[in-house]
Amino acid sequence: MAPSALRRGGTAVAETPADTVREQAVDAALAQLDLDTKTRLLAGRDMWSLPALPEIGLASLVMSDGPIGVRGVRWTADDPSVALPSPTALAASWDPALARRAGRLLAQEARRKGVHVLLAPTVNLHRSPLGGRHFEAYSEDPHLTGEIGTGYVLGVQDGGVGTTVKHFVANDAETDRFTVDNRVAPRPLRELYLAPFEAIVENAHPWGIMTAYNGVNGVTMTEHRHLVNEVLRGEWGFDGLNVSDWMAARSTVGDIQGGLDLAMPGPHTVYGEALAAAVRAGEVAESAVDSAARNVLRLAARVGALDGAPPVVTEPPAPLDGVEVAREVARRGLVLVRNERDALPLAASGTVALSGAAARDARVLGGGSAQVFPDHVVSPLDGLADALPPGALTYTVGADPSDELAPADQGFTLRAVCRDAAGAVIGEGTLPNGQVQWIGDDLPAGVTHETLASIEVVGSFTPRESGEHSFGTRGLGAFTLGIAGETLFEGVQTMGPETDPFEAFFGTPVERAKVTLTAGETVEVSLLHPLDKEFAAPLAAVMFSFVHLGPRRDPDELIAEAAEAARAADTAVVVVATTERVESEGFDRTDLALPGRQDDLVRAVAAANPNTVVVVNAGSPVEMPWREEVAAILLSWFPGQEGGAALADVLTGAAEPGGRLPTTWPVALADTPVTEVTPADGVLDYAEGLFIGYRAWDRAGAVPAYPFGHGLGYTTWTYDALEVTGATARVRITNTGARPGREVVQVYLAPQDDTVERPARWLAGFASVEAGPGASVEAEIPLARRAFEIWDEEKSAWTFVAGTYEVRAVHSLDDTRLTTTLEI
């Protein structure tokens, strides 16, 4: 078999004529490159792209972050992006077809922005609810994660855009993420953490994988020959590009021998000149460089960036409406976990008292590299005001999730003025808020990192409230703050205890001045930030924030005001939320509590109105100590730009809440079986083995607030029949309610008299079905052989476990409707 032949699962695969032409073009292009050019190609050109090689007809490959939206090569509001809900919301739909639709939209966005490859999806697992970045991953369950990730990858690549499934592997927490060595035994590594990657490679054929910062069992992932060369490429037959996470590549020889193709960001990486020198010194075989370069060129061929190679997709799918898709995903991901006395949907003629700062200023995205700038955001207040009759809705703040300063937003009109060392203006860019986050080529037109000496955030502020307003800074270096023409602060902000650049950037804001302002009266504002090499980021980046906090009214007065409004309404709706200081890339959570006085707000409103509905605007679990005191609870995750419209659809009954929990929701952190995310002496031991998520709850005999797979709708279902024949479970159900509905039919396996240590039960398959009132429908759910296998550590192989299994058709993990016994 030729070295460039395509492989799947360790065996050669018959190529289509187009595959053959692409491979021939790749081989021909590679043959024209000398060593220095090949190694330069593997080093990247800049933050987001690879060098073009006109001599072989290779265009510059462009990459972009893209779990929920395509930001492009410039992180700017001048080129807005569709912002979809967080991946936890997408997984809550339990619908790979919807994930594929979302992926197609993102491919459409990528093509519009000139992007060839999305740095997504994130398929790490929710090992502990303290993981700070879990909103960007799908689930605690490897099967659900693999199915949703497969749909996403297929959708993006349907549109001719590549993906890089990340972060390979066991990158399940943020603390010390650059250096932590995660110790994972072979069996949980295979059955849990590698499983989603394996499923996606097998079923979606991704064109890229991103290796993680962390080490696994003593070896840094970018140098992990066993997991990359032997497992990913050898056993699974992955034939795509292996790119490092940004700045993860640390060893020229170790990385190339460990199977890393591309070290990003460029151009100054461990590859390039250093790799060419290692080849000439005899430390690296040139054939290893050729293999890596071939993988880069194959990706270019697939996306249409290599002359003479037909792209995989010559005709993209029909265009999608981004607003419509964002609203659909948000609606389908909403999980109704409690609905006493049929509090929802809202009565058509009733009045609603809405409260919570997040109802007015919604948090629609998680913090970190997944952020994008949508051209608009529909808040819960916007959505309900549009959906309800005039006069039916009132709004009070009630409680704010944060009493810290945050990037200047509502009421601010800002732009960034860039100057060179002589003080001359070299460029300007608009800012959607006070956060400046320019990485690589994000800089405004005409500005380069070499010429940029200072940035001044300038503009105006029209307060919504009269009173004392606080202004400040977040970031590292010198700042000069001006309000209404007066300089109120001039000084330097230095590094705190943070160890991660994202943590430093998203860290504690510092108040610099207080000014009394009048609502509706506009004042000029400015923040000058000269750049200093002493505080330079570890990559080409400019990151700082102009922060603000409005007048602080007495918290008890705000809560009392919300309770009084609730008492006068038919239904009270309270929106509670986390903040970017709670859930973000770069750091883990320390608790699961809602920030601020939000719990007090919910209790006060619920005491005033027994018909209280709470909307939880968080990307992953939070404690809800009041959950038995309210009538209904709806989880909206981070719902994307159309979140408020989708919420109104569900609250009013125009649509059904379609979501089911993709992760267990605990009563309290103290009850949670797996919580450890902090390494000891650089090592994080996955001592729980196979038992994470609901597997761990079962083993501990503990009862969560809401189990995995839980979610209510606006109709009712009976489960009529379960039959297992061959490798398929067939479940017939009937809609016994008065309106159309969708049900997620879940099938679990529970081994009886087990001969090996395994969880008490695990998800083996699922399907979404729809039916009208009184109608029956059958779900066909494949049961893969892998669901009956374990990884035998002695044999280093998958082993089929014969025996007796109870097959359970369930509405949720703890709501079994039908069972049957299977002898295999």
Side-chain angles (χ1 to χ4, degrees), residues 607-645:
N609 189 331
N611 205 31
T612 292
V613 177
V614 181
V615 178
V616 181
N617 180 195
S620 51
V622 296
E623 293 175 355
M624 299 183 291
W626 34 258
R627 70 190 183 285
E628 301 293 338
E629 303 169 35
V630 301
I633 301 172
L634 191 61
L635 309 181
S636 71
W637 314 102
F638 295 144
Q641 67 179 52
E642 305 301 320

Side-chain angles (χ1 to χ4, degrees), residues 38 119 122 225 283 321 393 410 413 485 598 628 729:
K38 288 182 289 192
L119 303 174
T122 301
R225 281 188 249 187
E283 298 171 340
D321 183 320
L393 179 69
Q410 300 295 329
T413 301
Q598 295 182 102
E628 301 293 338

